[in-house]
Amino acid sequence: TDEAIKFFNRMPRYWKVADFGSGDCRLSRSVPQRVTNIDIYEHEGQKVTVCHMAQTPLESSSRNAVCMCLSLMGSDYHLALREAWRVLKPEGVLWIAETRSRFETPDGKNPILQKFLRCMSKLGFQLTREDRPSNVFLILVFQKCAPEDHAAAVTGKPARIRKSRWPGLKPSAFAKRPSKVDSLKKEFSLQFKNK
C-alpha cells in the first residue's frame, strides 16, 4: 500500500479512485483523491462498498483510476480486471501491485507475466509502467484503451477472454501477520463446515 500511496499522492486531486480489495482502507485515508473502497468484508470504522470485485455497483466509465493492491487472489481474478476496465474512464489508470513470486520463477524468468500482459492487452489495457521496488513486489501500471476485440470496441463493453487463456497465478510466497479480518474469515469458514 505504501507504493500505491506514493503513486496516488502524485496524481491529480480531482481523480475518483476505486480501491478493489481495499482491506483496511489505508489508501483512502492517505491520499487526497475521493476513494471508493471495494471489498468483500466490512472494516470497522471505514466506509466500504461490500461486494465482489467482479460485480461492483459503480457506474461505467466513472473512475479515473482503479487500485488493486494484492487483490488478484481468486481463480476468477480476470473478472475483476474486466470490471476495472468497465468502471474506468477512457485512458483511465489501473494500478496493480502483486508479489513477484506469483509471476516470476526464482531464476528471474517470467512466462506467466508475459501471458498475463498479452491478456491485458486483449482486454483493453496498455502497459505504461513495470516496476520492481523490492525483491518481493511487482508494480504494473496500465492505461485503459480500446480492446483488441473489434466487437467489444464497437459496443464499448470489456472484451470477453476465456478463463483458460488467463494464466493461473502462483500462490503468493509473501507471508503477512494474521489480522482480525483473517481471523473472521477463518471463523466464518468453520461455521459453514459445521452446518
Side-chain angles (χ1 to χ4, degrees):
T1 305
D2 291 337
E3 292 295 326
I5 291 167
K6 281 188 226 173
F7 177 83
F8 285 103
N9 273 319
R10 293 190 305 263
M11 296 300 114
R13 297 175 69 87
Y14 67 83
W15 271 17
K16 292 180 182 176
V17 179
D19 187 1
F20 280 27
S22 57
D24 63 4
C25 307
R26 189 165 158 233
L27 180 68
S28 65
R29 298 191 316 266
S30 305
V31 298
Q33 294 86 5
R34 192 174 101 203
V35 178
T36 303
N37 297 307
I38 304 287
D39 208 301
I40 58 172
Y41 300 100
E42 290 183 354
H43 295 275
E44 191 174 323
Q46 302 300 319
K47 184 177 179 184
V48 177
T49 301
V50 178
C51 63
H52 192 291
M53 290 185 299
Q55 296 178 321
T56 72
L58 302 176
E59 292 181 26
S60 296
S61 302
S62 64
R63 297 297 183 269
N64 300 94
V66 170
C67 177
M68 299 180 86
C69 189
L70 303 176
S71 300
L72 303 179
M73 295 303 193
S75 60
D76 62 349
Y77 73 88
H78 63 288
L79 298 176
L81 292 168
R82 193 169 184 271
E83 180 70 355
W85 190 93
R86 184 189 70 79
V87 304
L88 280 169
K89 294 180 177 184
E91 299 181 3
V93 172
L94 172 61
W95 190 95
I96 297 175
E98 278 295 338
T99 56
R100 291 174 61 178
S101 61
R102 301 195 74 202
F103 291 96
E104 299 174 351
T105 57
D107 61 3
K109 294 183 180 174
N110 54 15
I112 294 171
L113 178 59
Q114 295 311 312
K115 187 174 182 182
F116 178 80
L117 294 176
R118 282 193 300 274
C119 286
M120 290 296 284
S121 178
K122 288 179 182 176
L123 182 58
F125 284 111
Q126 178 182 353
L127 181 67
T128 60
R129 182 174 150 217
E130 181 179 329
D131 190 22
R132 290 163 178 79
S134 70
N135 290 336
V136 178
F137 295 106
L138 169 69
I139 294 174
L140 302 169
V141 182
F142 297 90
Q143 187 171 38
K144 180 181 176 177
C145 57
E148 289 181 8
D149 177 350
H150 179 70
V154 169
T155 63
K157 293 182 179 176
R160 290 191 180 276
I161 302 168
R162 286 194 311 252
K163 181 180 176 180
S164 62
R165 300 238 186 245
W166 289 90
L169 300 181
K170 294 191 270 182
S172 177
F174 175 70
K176 68 172 192 159
R177 292 185 312 232
S179 67
K180 184 177 180 183
V181 172
D182 295 327
S183 301
L184 291 171
K185 287 179 189 175
K186 186 175 180 181
E187 182 182 323
F188 185 73
S189 67
L190 287 175
Q191 287 176 357
F192 277 97
K193 281 183 181 177
N194 294 333
K195 289 187 178 185

mmCIF file of all heavy atoms in Angstrom, residues 75-104:
data_model
loop_
_atom_site.group_PDB
_atom_site.id
_atom_site.type_symbol
_atom_site.label_atom_id
_atom_site.label_comp_id
_atom_site.label_asym_id
_atom_site.label_seq_id
_atom_site.Cartn_x
_atom_site.Cartn_y
_atom_site.Cartn_z
ATOM 1 N N SER A 75 -9.366 -17.481 -8.292
ATOM 2 C CA SER A 75 -9.132 -18.074 -9.615
ATOM 3 C C SER A 75 -9.913 -17.318 -10.686
ATOM 4 O O SER A 75 -9.654 -17.478 -11.873
ATOM 5 C CB SER A 75 -9.528 -19.553 -9.608
ATOM 6 O OG SER A 75 -10.901 -19.686 -9.281
ATOM 7 N N ASP A 76 -10.849 -16.471 -10.274
ATOM 8 C CA ASP A 76 -11.627 -15.659 -11.213
ATOM 9 C C ASP A 76 -11.127 -14.211 -11.256
ATOM 10 O O ASP A 76 -11.876 -13.294 -11.564
ATOM 11 C CB ASP A 76 -13.109 -15.702 -10.859
ATOM 12 C CG ASP A 76 -13.409 -15.134 -9.473
ATOM 13 O OD1 ASP A 76 -12.451 -14.896 -8.697
ATOM 14 O OD2 ASP A 76 -14.581 -14.928 -9.168
ATOM 15 N N TYR A 77 -9.841 -14.007 -10.973
ATOM 16 C CA TYR A 77 -9.289 -12.649 -10.927
ATOM 17 C C TYR A 77 -9.513 -11.886 -12.226
ATOM 18 O O TYR A 77 -9.631 -10.663 -12.226
ATOM 19 C CB TYR A 77 -7.799 -12.680 -10.567
ATOM 20 C CG TYR A 77 -6.899 -13.178 -11.674
ATOM 21 C CD1 TYR A 77 -6.390 -12.301 -12.630
ATOM 22 C CD2 TYR A 77 -6.540 -14.516 -11.770
ATOM 23 C CE1 TYR A 77 -5.564 -12.744 -13.645
ATOM 24 C CE2 TYR A 77 -5.724 -14.963 -12.787
ATOM 25 C CZ TYR A 77 -5.232 -14.081 -13.721
ATOM 26 O OH TYR A 77 -4.434 -14.526 -14.737
ATOM 27 N N HIS A 78 -9.594 -12.610 -13.325
ATOM 28 C CA HIS A 78 -9.787 -11.954 -14.635
ATOM 29 C C HIS A 78 -11.119 -11.206 -14.701
ATOM 30 O O HIS A 78 -11.239 -10.209 -15.405
ATOM 31 C CB HIS A 78 -9.680 -12.970 -15.763
ATOM 32 C CG HIS A 78 -10.732 -14.025 -15.723
ATOM 33 N ND1 HIS A 78 -10.749 -15.040 -14.787
ATOM 34 C CD2 HIS A 78 -11.818 -14.208 -16.496
ATOM 35 C CE1 HIS A 78 -11.806 -15.806 -14.993
ATOM 36 N NE2 HIS A 78 -12.475 -15.330 -16.022
ATOM 37 N N LEU A 79 -12.115 -11.661 -13.948
ATOM 38 C CA LEU A 79 -13.409 -10.976 -13.942
ATOM 39 C C LEU A 79 -13.306 -9.618 -13.236
ATOM 40 O O LEU A 79 -13.956 -8.654 -13.640
ATOM 41 C CB LEU A 79 -14.471 -11.846 -13.280
ATOM 42 C CG LEU A 79 -14.761 -13.189 -13.975
ATOM 43 C CD1 LEU A 79 -15.758 -14.010 -13.168
ATOM 44 C CD2 LEU A 79 -15.249 -12.963 -15.396
ATOM 45 N N ALA A 80 -12.471 -9.545 -12.205
ATOM 46 C CA ALA A 80 -12.256 -8.259 -11.522
ATOM 47 C C ALA A 80 -11.516 -7.284 -12.440
ATOM 48 O O ALA A 80 -11.797 -6.084 -12.434
ATOM 49 C CB ALA A 80 -11.475 -8.481 -10.229
ATOM 50 N N LEU A 81 -10.601 -7.798 -13.254
ATOM 51 C CA LEU A 81 -9.885 -6.941 -14.204
ATOM 52 C C LEU A 81 -10.846 -6.426 -15.282
ATOM 53 O O LEU A 81 -10.767 -5.269 -15.698
ATOM 54 C CB LEU A 81 -8.727 -7.707 -14.846
ATOM 55 C CG LEU A 81 -7.596 -8.054 -13.872
ATOM 56 C CD1 LEU A 81 -6.642 -9.055 -14.507
ATOM 57 C CD2 LEU A 81 -6.862 -6.802 -13.424
ATOM 58 N N ARG A 82 -11.757 -7.272 -15.693
ATOM 59 C CA ARG A 82 -12.777 -6.870 -16.675
ATOM 60 C C ARG A 82 -13.672 -5.773 -16.083
ATOM 61 O O ARG A 82 -14.019 -4.797 -16.736
ATOM 62 C CB ARG A 82 -13.594 -8.105 -17.062
ATOM 63 C CG ARG A 82 -14.464 -7.942 -18.260
ATOM 64 C CD ARG A 82 -15.018 -9.317 -18.701
ATOM 65 N NE ARG A 82 -15.772 -9.153 -19.906
ATOM 66 C CZ ARG A 82 -17.080 -8.869 -19.945
ATOM 67 N NH1 ARG A 82 -17.760 -8.753 -18.833
ATOM 68 N NH2 ARG A 82 -17.687 -8.715 -21.096
ATOM 69 N N GLU A 83 -14.007 -5.927 -14.804
ATOM 70 C CA GLU A 83 -14.826 -4.924 -14.116
ATOM 71 C C GLU A 83 -14.048 -3.611 -13.982
ATOM 72 O O GLU A 83 -14.621 -2.527 -14.119
ATOM 73 C CB GLU A 83 -15.253 -5.445 -12.738
ATOM 74 C CG GLU A 83 -16.107 -4.498 -11.934
ATOM 75 C CD GLU A 83 -17.523 -4.290 -12.481
ATOM 76 O OE1 GLU A 83 -17.860 -4.808 -13.568
ATOM 77 O OE2 GLU A 83 -18.295 -3.574 -11.821
ATOM 78 N N ALA A 84 -12.761 -3.697 -13.720
ATOM 79 C CA ALA A 84 -11.938 -2.489 -13.633
ATOM 80 C C ALA A 84 -11.981 -1.737 -14.966
ATOM 81 O O ALA A 84 -12.122 -0.508 -14.988
ATOM 82 C CB ALA A 84 -10.499 -2.847 -13.264
ATOM 83 N N TRP A 85 -11.886 -2.473 -16.073
ATOM 84 C CA TRP A 85 -11.956 -1.836 -17.393
ATOM 85 C C TRP A 85 -13.306 -1.128 -17.562
ATOM 86 O O TRP A 85 -13.378 -0.013 -18.039
ATOM 87 C CB TRP A 85 -11.759 -2.868 -18.501
ATOM 88 C CG TRP A 85 -11.589 -2.268 -19.860
ATOM 89 C CD1 TRP A 85 -10.415 -1.942 -20.472
ATOM 90 C CD2 TRP A 85 -12.629 -1.894 -20.779
ATOM 91 N NE1 TRP A 85 -10.658 -1.395 -21.714
ATOM 92 C CE2 TRP A 85 -12.007 -1.350 -21.924
ATOM 93 C CE3 TRP A 85 -14.017 -1.956 -20.743
ATOM 94 C CZ2 TRP A 85 -12.732 -0.879 -23.020
ATOM 95 C CZ3 TRP A 85 -14.743 -1.489 -21.833
ATOM 96 C CH2 TRP A 85 -14.107 -0.957 -22.949
ATOM 97 N N ARG A 86 -14.381 -1.785 -17.121
ATOM 98 C CA ARG A 86 -15.722 -1.218 -17.271
ATOM 99 C C ARG A 86 -15.865 0.095 -16.521
ATOM 100 O O ARG A 86 -16.419 1.058 -17.039
ATOM 101 C CB ARG A 86 -16.782 -2.214 -16.781
ATOM 102 C CG ARG A 86 -18.215 -1.733 -17.000
ATOM 103 C CD ARG A 86 -19.234 -2.634 -16.322
ATOM 104 N NE ARG A 86 -19.208 -2.551 -14.878
ATOM 105 C CZ ARG A 86 -19.759 -1.567 -14.147
ATOM 106 N NH1 ARG A 86 -20.366 -0.545 -14.731
ATOM 107 N NH2 ARG A 86 -19.696 -1.601 -12.825
ATOM 108 N N VAL A 87 -15.369 0.162 -15.284
ATOM 109 C CA VAL A 87 -15.601 1.351 -14.462
ATOM 110 C C VAL A 87 -14.625 2.489 -14.760
ATOM 111 O O VAL A 87 -14.892 3.637 -14.389
ATOM 112 C CB VAL A 87 -15.595 1.032 -12.948
ATOM 113 C CG1 VAL A 87 -16.612 -0.044 -12.618
ATOM 114 C CG2 VAL A 87 -14.222 0.664 -12.437
ATOM 115 N N LEU A 88 -13.524 2.192 -15.444
ATOM 116 C CA LEU A 88 -12.548 3.243 -15.749
ATOM 117 C C LEU A 88 -13.012 4.139 -16.886
ATOM 118 O O LEU A 88 -13.616 3.680 -17.857
ATOM 119 C CB LEU A 88 -11.200 2.633 -16.128
ATOM 120 C CG LEU A 88 -10.325 2.179 -14.970
ATOM 121 C CD1 LEU A 88 -9.147 1.365 -15.487
ATOM 122 C CD2 LEU A 88 -9.850 3.370 -14.150
ATOM 123 N N LYS A 89 -12.696 5.420 -16.767
ATOM 124 C CA LYS A 89 -12.930 6.367 -17.860
ATOM 125 C C LYS A 89 -11.948 6.046 -18.990
ATOM 126 O O LYS A 89 -10.928 5.389 -18.758
ATOM 127 C CB LYS A 89 -12.696 7.798 -17.368
ATOM 128 C CG LYS A 89 -13.694 8.263 -16.336
ATOM 129 C CD LYS A 89 -13.394 9.686 -15.896
ATOM 130 C CE LYS A 89 -14.457 10.160 -14.899
ATOM 131 N NZ LYS A 89 -14.253 11.560 -14.516
ATOM 132 N N PRO A 90 -12.228 6.504 -20.208
ATOM 133 C CA PRO A 90 -11.241 6.332 -21.283
ATOM 134 C C PRO A 90 -9.887 6.893 -20.838
ATOM 135 O O PRO A 90 -9.823 7.960 -20.232
ATOM 136 C CB PRO A 90 -11.825 7.138 -22.441
ATOM 137 C CG PRO A 90 -13.307 7.120 -22.174
ATOM 138 C CD PRO A 90 -13.436 7.180 -20.667
ATOM 139 N N GLU A 91 -8.853 6.138 -21.083
ATOM 140 C CA GLU A 91 -7.476 6.462 -20.693
ATOM 141 C C GLU A 91 -7.270 6.466 -19.179
ATOM 142 O O GLU A 91 -6.275 6.979 -18.671
ATOM 143 C CB GLU A 91 -7.020 7.795 -21.309
ATOM 144 C CG GLU A 91 -7.048 7.767 -22.825
ATOM 145 C CD GLU A 91 -6.569 9.062 -23.461
ATOM 146 O OE1 GLU A 91 -6.148 9.992 -22.742
ATOM 147 O OE2 GLU A 91 -6.629 9.125 -24.697
ATOM 148 N N GLY A 92 -8.216 5.860 -18.452
ATOM 149 C CA GLY A 92 -8.066 5.726 -17.008
ATOM 150 C C GLY A 92 -6.897 4.818 -16.660
ATOM 151 O O GLY A 92 -6.407 4.053 -17.482
ATOM 152 N N VAL A 93 -6.469 4.893 -15.402
ATOM 153 C CA VAL A 93 -5.274 4.184 -14.937
ATOM 154 C C VAL A 93 -5.657 2.999 -14.052
ATOM 155 O O VAL A 93 -6.469 3.138 -13.132
ATOM 156 C CB VAL A 93 -4.363 5.153 -14.146
ATOM 157 C CG1 VAL A 93 -3.208 4.417 -13.485
ATOM 158 C CG2 VAL A 93 -3.837 6.248 -15.069
ATOM 159 N N LEU A 94 -5.041 1.851 -14.338
ATOM 160 C CA LEU A 94 -5.172 0.674 -13.477
ATOM 161 C C LEU A 94 -3.811 0.438 -12.841
ATOM 162 O O LEU A 94 -2.821 0.202 -13.542
ATOM 163 C CB LEU A 94 -5.600 -0.555 -14.284
ATOM 164 C CG LEU A 94 -5.591 -1.894 -13.529
ATOM 165 C CD1 LEU A 94 -6.546 -1.877 -12.339
ATOM 166 C CD2 LEU A 94 -5.941 -3.037 -14.481
ATOM 167 N N TRP A 95 -3.753 0.520 -11.513
ATOM 168 C CA TRP A 95 -2.506 0.347 -10.761
ATOM 169 C C TRP A 95 -2.590 -0.985 -10.031
ATOM 170 O O TRP A 95 -3.490 -1.205 -9.222
ATOM 171 C CB TRP A 95 -2.334 1.503 -9.774
ATOM 172 C CG TRP A 95 -1.002 1.577 -9.105
ATOM 173 C CD1 TRP A 95 0.068 2.326 -9.501
ATOM 174 C CD2 TRP A 95 -0.596 0.895 -7.910
ATOM 175 N NE1 TRP A 95 1.109 2.139 -8.630
ATOM 176 C CE2 TRP A 95 0.735 1.265 -7.645
ATOM 177 C CE3 TRP A 95 -1.216 -0.007 -7.055
ATOM 178 C CZ2 TRP A 95 1.452 0.786 -6.559
ATOM 179 C CZ3 TRP A 95 -0.511 -0.492 -5.962
ATOM 180 C CH2 TRP A 95 0.808 -0.096 -5.720
ATOM 181 N N ILE A 96 -1.654 -1.888 -10.323
ATOM 182 C CA ILE A 96 -1.648 -3.228 -9.721
ATOM 183 C C ILE A 96 -0.331 -3.460 -8.999
ATOM 184 O O ILE A 96 0.740 -3.195 -9.558
ATOM 185 C CB ILE A 96 -1.829 -4.325 -10.799
ATOM 186 C CG1 ILE A 96 -3.189 -4.204 -11.481
ATOM 187 C CG2 ILE A 96 -1.653 -5.712 -10.190
ATOM 188 C CD1 ILE A 96 -3.380 -5.182 -12.639
ATOM 189 N N ALA A 97 -0.402 -3.973 -7.776
ATOM 190 C CA ALA A 97 0.785 -4.454 -7.062
ATOM 191 C C ALA A 97 0.522 -5.895 -6.650
ATOM 192 O O ALA A 97 -0.534 -6.210 -6.095
ATOM 193 C CB ALA A 97 1.070 -3.591 -5.836
ATOM 194 N N GLU A 98 1.460 -6.744 -6.954
ATOM 195 C CA GLU A 98 1.381 -8.152 -6.565
ATOM 196 C C GLU A 98 2.776 -8.613 -6.152
ATOM 197 O O GLU A 98 3.772 -7.943 -6.418
ATOM 198 C CB GLU A 98 0.867 -9.028 -7.721
ATOM 199 C CG GLU A 98 -0.632 -9.050 -7.872
ATOM 200 C CD GLU A 98 -1.360 -9.684 -6.706
ATOM 201 O OE1 GLU A 98 -0.768 -10.484 -5.946
ATOM 202 O OE2 GLU A 98 -2.546 -9.373 -6.540
ATOM 203 N N THR A 99 2.849 -9.781 -5.537
ATOM 204 C CA THR A 99 4.153 -10.332 -5.208
ATOM 205 C C THR A 99 4.785 -10.888 -6.481
ATOM 206 O O THR A 99 4.100 -11.475 -7.326
ATOM 207 C CB THR A 99 4.058 -11.439 -4.145
ATOM 208 O OG1 THR A 99 3.173 -12.447 -4.587
ATOM 209 C CG2 THR A 99 3.577 -10.876 -2.820
ATOM 210 N N ARG A 100 6.081 -10.653 -6.621
ATOM 211 C CA ARG A 100 6.793 -11.103 -7.815
ATOM 212 C C ARG A 100 6.719 -12.618 -7.963
ATOM 213 O O ARG A 100 6.679 -13.135 -9.080
ATOM 214 C CB ARG A 100 8.253 -10.648 -7.739
ATOM 215 C CG ARG A 100 8.407 -9.149 -7.883
ATOM 216 C CD ARG A 100 9.811 -8.680 -7.656
ATOM 217 N NE ARG A 100 10.736 -9.265 -8.609
ATOM 218 C CZ ARG A 100 12.026 -8.973 -8.645
ATOM 219 N NH1 ARG A 100 12.538 -8.100 -7.806
ATOM 220 N NH2 ARG A 100 12.812 -9.554 -9.536
ATOM 221 N N SER A 101 6.674 -13.335 -6.849
ATOM 222 C CA SER A 101 6.664 -14.806 -6.898
ATOM 223 C C SER A 101 5.434 -15.361 -7.620
ATOM 224 O O SER A 101 5.449 -16.489 -8.080
ATOM 225 C CB SER A 101 6.732 -15.384 -5.483
ATOM 226 O OG SER A 101 5.607 -14.971 -4.724
ATOM 227 N N ARG A 102 4.382 -14.570 -7.743
ATOM 228 C CA ARG A 102 3.178 -15.038 -8.443
ATOM 229 C C ARG A 102 3.371 -15.036 -9.957
ATOM 230 O O ARG A 102 2.662 -15.726 -10.680
ATOM 231 C CB ARG A 102 1.983 -14.159 -8.077
ATOM 232 C CG ARG A 102 1.707 -14.172 -6.581
ATOM 233 C CD ARG A 102 0.376 -13.634 -6.250
ATOM 234 N NE ARG A 102 -0.619 -14.624 -6.621
ATOM 235 C CZ ARG A 102 -1.888 -14.332 -6.861
ATOM 236 N NH1 ARG A 102 -2.310 -13.103 -6.776
ATOM 237 N NH2 ARG A 102 -2.733 -15.279 -7.186
ATOM 238 N N PHE A 103 4.315 -14.229 -10.448
ATOM 239 C CA PHE A 103 4.535 -14.068 -11.878
ATOM 240 C C PHE A 103 5.890 -14.557 -12.357
ATOM 241 O O PHE A 103 6.081 -14.783 -13.543
ATOM 242 C CB PHE A 103 4.434 -12.575 -12.256
ATOM 243 C CG PHE A 103 3.056 -12.004 -12.139
ATOM 244 C CD1 PHE A 103 2.665 -11.327 -11.008
ATOM 245 C CD2 PHE A 103 2.148 -12.136 -13.176
ATOM 246 C CE1 PHE A 103 1.391 -10.776 -10.910
ATOM 247 C CE2 PHE A 103 0.880 -11.598 -13.088
ATOM 248 C CZ PHE A 103 0.506 -10.915 -11.953
ATOM 249 N N GLU A 104 6.860 -14.659 -11.462
ATOM 250 C CA GLU A 104 8.234 -14.943 -11.860
ATOM 251 C C GLU A 104 8.746 -16.222 -11.210
ATOM 252 O O GLU A 104 8.348 -16.569 -10.111
ATOM 253 C CB GLU A 104 9.152 -13.787 -11.448
ATOM 254 C CG GLU A 104 8.793 -12.473 -12.091
ATOM 255 C CD GLU A 104 9.620 -11.308 -11.565
ATOM 256 O OE1 GLU A 104 10.356 -11.489 -10.565
ATOM 257 O OE2 GLU A 104 9.530 -10.221 -12.148
#
